Amino acid sequence: MYEILITNDDGYESEGLHALIEVLRPLAHVTVVAPANEKSACGHSLTLSHPLSFVGVDDDFYKLEDGTPSDCVYLALHSLFEGEKPDLVISGINKGSNMGEDITYSGTAAGAMEGVLHGVPSIAVSQVMDFEKPLPDFSLAAKTAAALARKVFEGSFPLPPRQFLNVNVPPDIPDAPMEVTYAGYRHYGNDAHLHRNPRGKEYYWLGLHPLAFSPREGKALPSDFEAIERGIVSVSPIQLDMSAYDSMQRLQEWIG
């Protein structure tokens, strides 16, 4: 039987996580290790300053006290899979998009990053949504994750080592095709809200950025943002090698 390790960054009680678990259990034996609390935008961080503990939630379902998605995958592979790696790591279903440079912030993407660092095919799945509307049912995102898992089990993972699939699912539609995309160019603001507690002490609450973007010049394929705007599931191959190869000669000339 195939083995799938699931994690997320919205916490072990997240509706998206449970939708993913439900759709994958008929396909494989599923082990879940998720953060005990929401860890959105934690990036690819590991916890090195204090110990971590698995807490059983259900059969083969654990929450990791004060752990990040990277912690969850790292420790699960070390502790729960004795001598054998799972066939697939899936991180999600995230409540909200992870497109463009948001991938660098994303705990959801980081769960998949940690998987491929250890040689396990990995997929990050995010549900694009309007946070002012009720939660979606995650059915299209779950169906997409199951379809990709089946393709992995039917053959081989299509990417070389240290690359993972980053999937974003459009909102408010029951069905959509998948399209290969690149990570778009995200526009960022600086949205920080100043407040004061009852004793007058100032604090800041970071706000959400609108999904504003630009296409990258000279790209034949659409960006993830463009696919979502057209109501298409975006599937982007993401690599962990961030070296700017095109700039190396210019840098060498600059430093002499």
Side-chain angles (χ1 to χ4, degrees), residues 45-84:
S45 59
L46 289 173
T47 301
L48 305 178
S49 58
H50 58 265
L52 298 165
S53 299
F54 289 111
V55 178
V57 176
D58 203 343
D59 292 342
D60 299 313
F61 189 156
Y62 305 89
K63 61 180 179 179
L64 194 62
E65 288 293 346
D66 204 28
T68 68
S70 299
D71 291 327
C72 291
V73 175
Y74 183 100
L75 287 179
L77 295 177
H78 176 78
S79 304
L80 303 180
F81 294 90
E82 297 180 4
E84 295 288 338

Short mmCIF file of all heavy atoms in Angstrom, two decimals, residues 45-84:
data_model
loop_
_atom_site.label_atom_id
_atom_site.label_comp_id
_atom_site.label_asym_id
_atom_site.label_seq_id
_atom_site.Cartn_x
_atom_site.Cartn_y
_atom_site.Cartn_z
N SER A 45 11.14 27.24 8.12
CA SER A 45 11.85 27.38 9.40
C SER A 45 11.78 26.09 10.20
O SER A 45 10.78 25.38 10.21
CB SER A 45 11.24 28.52 10.22
OG SER A 45 9.86 28.30 10.46
N LEU A 46 12.89 25.79 10.88
CA LEU A 46 12.97 24.69 11.84
C LEU A 46 13.09 25.26 13.25
O LEU A 46 13.65 26.35 13.45
CB LEU A 46 14.18 23.80 11.56
CG LEU A 46 14.13 22.91 10.32
CD1 LEU A 46 15.48 22.24 10.12
CD2 LEU A 46 13.03 21.87 10.43
N THR A 47 12.58 24.53 14.22
CA THR A 47 12.62 24.96 15.62
C THR A 47 13.88 24.39 16.28
O THR A 47 14.00 23.18 16.45
CB THR A 47 11.37 24.48 16.37
OG1 THR A 47 10.22 25.03 15.73
CG2 THR A 47 11.40 24.92 17.82
N LEU A 48 14.79 25.27 16.64
CA LEU A 48 16.07 24.85 17.23
C LEU A 48 16.25 25.32 18.66
O LEU A 48 17.22 24.93 19.31
CB LEU A 48 17.23 25.39 16.38
CG LEU A 48 17.21 25.03 14.89
CD1 LEU A 48 18.40 25.68 14.18
CD2 LEU A 48 17.23 23.52 14.70
N SER A 49 15.33 26.13 19.16
CA SER A 49 15.52 26.76 20.47
C SER A 49 14.82 26.05 21.61
O SER A 49 15.03 26.38 22.77
CB SER A 49 15.05 28.23 20.42
OG SER A 49 13.68 28.29 20.04
N HIS A 50 13.96 25.07 21.31
CA HIS A 50 13.29 24.31 22.36
C HIS A 50 12.85 22.96 21.82
O HIS A 50 12.75 22.78 20.61
CB HIS A 50 12.08 25.09 22.93
CG HIS A 50 11.06 25.45 21.90
ND1 HIS A 50 11.05 26.67 21.27
CD2 HIS A 50 10.03 24.75 21.36
CE1 HIS A 50 10.05 26.72 20.41
NE2 HIS A 50 9.43 25.56 20.44
N PRO A 51 12.59 21.98 22.70
CA PRO A 51 12.20 20.65 22.24
C PRO A 51 10.80 20.62 21.67
O PRO A 51 9.98 21.51 21.94
CB PRO A 51 12.30 19.79 23.52
CG PRO A 51 12.13 20.76 24.63
CD PRO A 51 12.73 22.05 24.18
N LEU A 52 10.51 19.59 20.88
CA LEU A 52 9.22 19.42 20.24
C LEU A 52 8.62 18.08 20.64
O LEU A 52 9.34 17.11 20.88
CB LEU A 52 9.37 19.47 18.71
CG LEU A 52 9.91 20.79 18.14
CD1 LEU A 52 10.35 20.58 16.69
CD2 LEU A 52 8.87 21.88 18.22
N SER A 53 7.29 18.01 20.69
CA SER A 53 6.62 16.78 21.12
C SER A 53 5.46 16.44 20.20
O SER A 53 4.64 17.31 19.87
CB SER A 53 6.08 16.93 22.55
OG SER A 53 7.12 17.18 23.47
N PHE A 54 5.39 15.16 19.79
CA PHE A 54 4.22 14.66 19.09
C PHE A 54 3.09 14.47 20.10
O PHE A 54 3.29 13.91 21.17
CB PHE A 54 4.51 13.31 18.44
CG PHE A 54 5.42 13.37 17.25
CD1 PHE A 54 6.70 12.84 17.31
CD2 PHE A 54 5.00 13.93 16.05
CE1 PHE A 54 7.54 12.86 16.21
CE2 PHE A 54 5.83 13.96 14.95
CZ PHE A 54 7.10 13.43 15.02
N VAL A 55 1.89 14.87 19.73
CA VAL A 55 0.70 14.62 20.54
C VAL A 55 -0.31 13.90 19.66
O VAL A 55 -0.71 14.40 18.61
CB VAL A 55 0.09 15.92 21.08
CG1 VAL A 55 -1.18 15.62 21.88
CG2 VAL A 55 1.10 16.66 21.96
N GLY A 56 -0.72 12.70 20.06
CA GLY A 56 -1.67 11.92 19.27
C GLY A 56 -3.04 12.57 19.23
O GLY A 56 -3.58 12.94 20.27
N VAL A 57 -3.60 12.69 18.03
CA VAL A 57 -4.95 13.22 17.85
C VAL A 57 -5.91 12.10 17.47
O VAL A 57 -7.04 12.03 17.95
CB VAL A 57 -4.96 14.30 16.75
CG1 VAL A 57 -6.38 14.80 16.46
CG2 VAL A 57 -4.05 15.47 17.13
N ASP A 58 -5.45 11.19 16.62
CA ASP A 58 -6.22 10.04 16.16
C ASP A 58 -5.22 9.02 15.65
O ASP A 58 -4.00 9.23 15.74
CB ASP A 58 -7.19 10.49 15.05
CG ASP A 58 -8.38 9.55 14.89
OD1 ASP A 58 -8.31 8.41 15.38
OD2 ASP A 58 -9.37 9.95 14.27
N ASP A 59 -5.71 7.91 15.09
CA ASP A 59 -4.80 6.91 14.54
C ASP A 59 -3.95 7.54 13.44
O ASP A 59 -4.49 8.10 12.47
CB ASP A 59 -5.59 5.74 13.97
CG ASP A 59 -6.30 4.93 15.05
OD1 ASP A 59 -5.91 5.05 16.22
OD2 ASP A 59 -7.23 4.18 14.70
N ASP A 60 -2.64 7.44 13.58
CA ASP A 60 -1.69 7.98 12.59
C ASP A 60 -1.92 9.46 12.31
O ASP A 60 -1.67 9.95 11.21
CB ASP A 60 -1.76 7.19 11.28
CG ASP A 60 -1.40 5.73 11.49
OD1 ASP A 60 -0.38 5.47 12.15
OD2 ASP A 60 -2.14 4.86 11.01
N PHE A 61 -2.37 10.18 13.32
CA PHE A 61 -2.62 11.62 13.21
C PHE A 61 -2.04 12.27 14.46
O PHE A 61 -2.44 11.97 15.58
CB PHE A 61 -4.12 11.88 13.12
CG PHE A 61 -4.51 13.31 12.80
CD1 PHE A 61 -5.73 13.58 12.20
CD2 PHE A 61 -3.69 14.39 13.08
CE1 PHE A 61 -6.12 14.88 11.89
CE2 PHE A 61 -4.06 15.69 12.78
CZ PHE A 61 -5.28 15.94 12.19
N TYR A 62 -1.07 13.16 14.24
CA TYR A 62 -0.37 13.81 15.34
C TYR A 62 -0.33 15.33 15.12
O TYR A 62 -0.26 15.80 13.99
CB TYR A 62 1.08 13.32 15.43
CG TYR A 62 1.22 11.82 15.53
CD1 TYR A 62 1.32 11.05 14.38
CD2 TYR A 62 1.25 11.19 16.77
CE1 TYR A 62 1.44 9.68 14.46
CE2 TYR A 62 1.38 9.81 16.85
CZ TYR A 62 1.46 9.06 15.69
OH TYR A 62 1.58 7.69 15.77
N LYS A 63 -0.39 16.04 16.22
CA LYS A 63 -0.06 17.46 16.17
C LYS A 63 1.30 17.64 16.83
O LYS A 63 1.68 16.87 17.72
CB LYS A 63 -1.12 18.32 16.87
CG LYS A 63 -1.32 18.04 18.35
CD LYS A 63 -2.40 18.95 18.93
CE LYS A 63 -2.61 18.67 20.41
NZ LYS A 63 -3.65 19.57 21.00
N LEU A 64 2.03 18.62 16.35
CA LEU A 64 3.37 18.88 16.87
C LEU A 64 3.32 20.18 17.63
O LEU A 64 3.10 21.25 17.05
CB LEU A 64 4.37 18.96 15.71
CG LEU A 64 5.85 18.89 16.09
CD1 LEU A 64 6.19 17.57 16.76
CD2 LEU A 64 6.72 19.08 14.85
N GLU A 65 3.51 20.07 18.94
CA GLU A 65 3.39 21.24 19.81
C GLU A 65 4.43 22.29 19.43
O GLU A 65 5.63 22.04 19.46
CB GLU A 65 3.56 20.84 21.28
CG GLU A 65 2.38 20.07 21.85
CD GLU A 65 1.10 20.89 21.94
OE1 GLU A 65 1.18 22.14 21.84
OE2 GLU A 65 0.03 20.30 22.11
N ASP A 66 3.93 23.46 19.04
CA ASP A 66 4.75 24.62 18.68
C ASP A 66 5.68 24.32 17.51
O ASP A 66 6.73 24.95 17.36
CB ASP A 66 5.55 25.13 19.87
CG ASP A 66 5.92 26.61 19.71
OD1 ASP A 66 5.17 27.33 19.03
OD2 ASP A 66 6.96 27.03 20.24
N GLY A 67 5.30 23.37 16.65
CA GLY A 67 6.13 23.01 15.52
C GLY A 67 5.71 23.71 14.25
O GLY A 67 4.56 24.13 14.10
N THR A 68 6.63 23.84 13.31
CA THR A 68 6.36 24.39 11.99
C THR A 68 6.09 23.25 11.01
O THR A 68 6.36 22.08 11.32
CB THR A 68 7.57 25.20 11.50
OG1 THR A 68 8.66 24.29 11.26
CG2 THR A 68 7.99 26.25 12.52
N PRO A 69 5.59 23.55 9.82
CA PRO A 69 5.44 22.48 8.82
C PRO A 69 6.76 21.77 8.51
O PRO A 69 6.78 20.55 8.33
CB PRO A 69 4.89 23.23 7.60
CG PRO A 69 4.18 24.41 8.17
CD PRO A 69 4.98 24.82 9.36
N SER A 70 7.85 22.53 8.44
CA SER A 70 9.15 21.89 8.20
C SER A 70 9.52 20.95 9.34
O SER A 70 10.04 19.86 9.11
CB SER A 70 10.24 22.95 8.02
OG SER A 70 9.96 23.78 6.93
N ASP A 71 9.27 21.37 10.59
CA ASP A 71 9.47 20.48 11.73
C ASP A 71 8.66 19.21 11.58
O ASP A 71 9.15 18.10 11.85
CB ASP A 71 9.03 21.16 13.04
CG ASP A 71 9.90 22.32 13.47
OD1 ASP A 71 11.11 22.29 13.22
OD2 ASP A 71 9.36 23.25 14.10
N CYS A 72 7.39 19.36 11.17
CA CYS A 72 6.49 18.22 11.08
C CYS A 72 7.03 17.18 10.10
O CYS A 72 7.06 15.97 10.40
CB CYS A 72 5.10 18.68 10.64
SG CYS A 72 4.21 19.67 11.86
N VAL A 73 7.45 17.62 8.93
CA VAL A 73 7.96 16.68 7.93
C VAL A 73 9.31 16.11 8.37
O VAL A 73 9.55 14.90 8.28
CB VAL A 73 8.06 17.37 6.55
CG1 VAL A 73 8.71 16.45 5.53
CG2 VAL A 73 6.68 17.79 6.08
N TYR A 74 10.19 16.97 8.84
CA TYR A 74 11.51 16.54 9.28
C TYR A 74 11.41 15.45 10.35
O TYR A 74 12.04 14.38 10.25
CB TYR A 74 12.26 17.76 9.83
CG TYR A 74 13.68 17.52 10.27
CD1 TYR A 74 14.75 17.86 9.44
CD2 TYR A 74 13.97 16.99 11.53
CE1 TYR A 74 16.06 17.66 9.86
CE2 TYR A 74 15.27 16.78 11.94
CZ TYR A 74 16.31 17.12 11.11
OH TYR A 74 17.60 16.93 11.52
N LEU A 75 10.61 15.70 11.39
CA LEU A 75 10.52 14.75 12.49
C LEU A 75 9.72 13.51 12.11
O LEU A 75 10.03 12.41 12.57
CB LEU A 75 9.90 15.42 13.71
CG LEU A 75 10.79 16.42 14.44
CD1 LEU A 75 10.05 17.04 15.61
CD2 LEU A 75 12.07 15.75 14.92
N ALA A 76 8.68 13.67 11.29
CA ALA A 76 7.92 12.51 10.86
C ALA A 76 8.79 11.54 10.08
O ALA A 76 8.76 10.32 10.31
CB ALA A 76 6.73 12.95 10.01
N LEU A 77 9.60 12.06 9.16
CA LEU A 77 10.48 11.19 8.38
C LEU A 77 11.52 10.52 9.26
O LEU A 77 11.92 9.38 9.01
CB LEU A 77 11.15 11.99 7.27
CG LEU A 77 10.23 12.56 6.18
CD1 LEU A 77 11.03 13.38 5.18
CD2 LEU A 77 9.47 11.45 5.48
N HIS A 78 11.94 11.21 10.30
CA HIS A 78 12.95 10.66 11.21
C HIS A 78 12.37 9.65 12.18
O HIS A 78 13.02 8.64 12.50
CB HIS A 78 13.60 11.80 12.00
CG HIS A 78 14.59 11.34 13.03
ND1 HIS A 78 15.87 10.95 12.71
CD2 HIS A 78 14.47 11.19 14.38
CE1 HIS A 78 16.50 10.58 13.81
NE2 HIS A 78 15.67 10.72 14.84
N SER A 79 11.13 9.88 12.64
CA SER A 79 10.61 9.13 13.78
C SER A 79 9.49 8.15 13.43
O SER A 79 9.31 7.15 14.14
CB SER A 79 10.07 10.10 14.84
OG SER A 79 11.08 11.00 15.24
N LEU A 80 8.70 8.43 12.40
CA LEU A 80 7.50 7.64 12.15
C LEU A 80 7.64 6.67 10.98
O LEU A 80 6.78 5.81 10.80
CB LEU A 80 6.30 8.57 11.89
CG LEU A 80 6.00 9.58 13.00
CD1 LEU A 80 4.79 10.43 12.60
CD2 LEU A 80 5.74 8.88 14.32
N PHE A 81 8.69 6.81 10.20
CA PHE A 81 8.89 5.94 9.05
C PHE A 81 10.22 5.22 9.23
O PHE A 81 11.28 5.73 8.86
CB PHE A 81 8.88 6.74 7.74
CG PHE A 81 7.54 7.35 7.43
CD1 PHE A 81 7.23 8.63 7.89
CD2 PHE A 81 6.60 6.66 6.70
CE1 PHE A 81 6.00 9.20 7.61
CE2 PHE A 81 5.37 7.22 6.42
CZ PHE A 81 5.07 8.49 6.88
N GLU A 82 10.17 4.06 9.82
CA GLU A 82 11.38 3.33 10.20
C GLU A 82 12.04 2.71 8.97
O GLU A 82 11.61 1.69 8.46
CB GLU A 82 11.04 2.25 11.22
CG GLU A 82 10.48 2.81 12.53
CD GLU A 82 10.16 1.71 13.51
OE1 GLU A 82 10.44 0.53 13.20
OE2 GLU A 82 9.63 2.02 14.60
N GLY A 83 13.10 3.35 8.50
CA GLY A 83 13.85 2.81 7.38
C GLY A 83 13.19 2.94 6.03
O GLY A 83 13.79 2.64 5.01
N GLU A 84 11.95 3.39 5.99
CA GLU A 84 11.23 3.55 4.73
C GLU A 84 10.68 4.97 4.64
O GLU A 84 10.13 5.50 5.61
CB GLU A 84 10.07 2.55 4.64
CG GLU A 84 10.49 1.09 4.60
CD GLU A 84 11.12 0.71 3.27
OE1 GLU A 84 10.84 1.41 2.26
OE2 GLU A 84 11.87 -0.28 3.23
#
